[in-house]
């Protein structure tokens, strides 16, 4: 096998390797030479609702406990009021100005939230929640990397993973802190200047 084919196999398989590492946090880190990703993921919003997105006008409706719940408009009642059928099964009357638009299915679990068609708080939180439920704790937001703490030890930081992210473009591999580090190292070599990575958060960043 030549060098290019080995690299191709690594890029094609790293998503499954990362996900398996999350599924079994106490097991040894899996090899990044595994086959294509087949691990179970959380169902998307419209699979859960069992409806066609294009047939409805979908909105995020604020909710005291859940933050936002998705639903579709069943009637427009005037004075900016609409009746929305929520995914919980309830119909609620809300002012459309407090709602947010829901993104089409193609944006479910996007790796970079800057790609969202409707970039709003509800859609950002939904994307992070869906990716987290699918064992993907890292998500890009433009130049930034968002990490959602799983509160257990992950087996996705071994030497195999370091090698898998080395000299890879950000779009070639799943979001990961190693991608940020490799980009900074590459820029340091190229520009001959020091690089900085700013880490912020609540849990000891």
């Amino acid at each position: 096998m030549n060098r290019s084919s080995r690299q191709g196999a690594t890029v094609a398989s790293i998503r499954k390797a990362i996900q398996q590492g999350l599924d079994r946090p106490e097991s040894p880190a899996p090899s990044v030479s595994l086959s294509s990703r087949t691990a179970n993921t959380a169902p998307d919003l419209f699979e859960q609702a069992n409806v066609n997105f294009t047939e409805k006008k979908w909105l995020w409706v604020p909710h005291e406990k859940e933050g936002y719940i998705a639903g579709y408009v069943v009637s427009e009642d005037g004075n900016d009021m609409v009746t929305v059928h929520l995914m919980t099964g309830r119909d609620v009357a809300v002012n459309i100005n407090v709602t947010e638009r829901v993104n089409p299915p193609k944006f479910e679990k996007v790796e970079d939230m800057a790609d969202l068609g409707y970039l709003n708080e509800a859609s950002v939180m939904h994307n992070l929640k869906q990716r987290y439920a699918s064992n993907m704790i890292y998500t890009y937001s433009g130049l930034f990397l968002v990490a959602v703490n799983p509160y257990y030890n992950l087996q996705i930081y071994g030497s195999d993973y370091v090698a898998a992210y080395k000299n890879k473009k950000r779009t070639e591999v799943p979001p990961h802190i190693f991608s940020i580090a490799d980009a900074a190292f590459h820029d340091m070599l190229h520009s001959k200047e020091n690089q900085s990575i700013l880490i912020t958060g609540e849990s000891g960043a």
Side-chain angles (χ1 to χ4, degrees):
M1 182 181 292
N2 60 36
R3 183 169 182 263
S4 61
S5 63
R6 288 198 302 270
Q7 287 182 334
T10 298
V11 171
S13 64
I14 187 173
R15 297 174 189 274
K16 181 180 178 182
I18 287 179
Q19 192 149 29
Q20 286 193 346
L22 286 165
D23 286 338
R24 296 190 296 275
E26 301 306 324
S27 64
S31 168
V32 292
S33 61
L34 296 174
S35 58
S36 61
R37 180 178 179 182
T38 58
N40 293 330
T41 58
D44 68 35
L45 182 65
F46 309 104
E47 289 175 349
Q48 296 176 48
N50 195 28
V51 295
N52 189 328
F53 177 85
T54 59
E55 296 176 353
K56 309 289 184 181
K57 180 179 180 180
W58 285 79
L59 300 172
W60 290 110
V61 177
H63 187 270
E64 182 176 346
K65 181 179 179 181
E66 300 295 333
Y68 297 91
I69 296 178
Y72 54 85
V73 175
V74 294
S75 67
E76 298 184 7
D77 307 322
N79 296 321
D80 292 331
M81 297 298 295
V82 293
T83 299
V84 180
H85 181 75
L86 301 178
M87 287 185 60
T88 57
R90 293 179 56 227
D91 286 357
V92 296
V94 296
N95 189 304
I96 197 168
N97 295 314
V98 303
T99 66
E100 305 281 1
R101 293 297 300 270
V102 175
N103 285 284
K106 68 178 182 179
F107 293 106
E108 282 284 290
K109 308 185 193 82
V110 293
E111 293 187 341
D112 190 342
M113 292 184 294
D115 294 334
L116 290 172
Y118 297 113
L119 187 57
N120 51 57
E121 179 179 309
S123 294
V124 167
M125 295 304 297
H126 171 73
N127 193 64
L128 291 173
K129 181 179 179 179
Q130 287 295 92
R131 287 179 59 80
Y132 182 82
S134 299
N135 290 335
M136 295 179 281
I137 66 166
Y138 289 117
T139 306
Y140 291 122
S141 181
L143 297 176
F144 299 93
L145 177 69
V146 179
V148 181
N149 193 341
Y151 292 99
Y152 58 73
N153 186 30
L154 305 181
Q155 302 296 326
I156 58 170
Y157 303 104
S159 58
D160 285 347
Y161 293 103
V162 174
Y165 279 87
K166 187 176 181 180
N167 296 325
K168 295 293 191 303
K169 294 180 180 178
R170 198 172 87 159
T171 54
E172 291 182 316
V173 286
H176 197 288
I177 188 62
F178 288 165
S179 184
I180 301 294
D182 187 76
F185 183 70
H186 177 272
D187 289 346
M188 180 181 69
L189 295 179
H190 180 74
S191 66
K192 310 294 187 196
E193 295 181 351
N194 294 334
Q195 303 293 309
S196 298
I197 298 176
L198 176 64
I199 302 174
T200 63
E202 296 182 2
S203 56

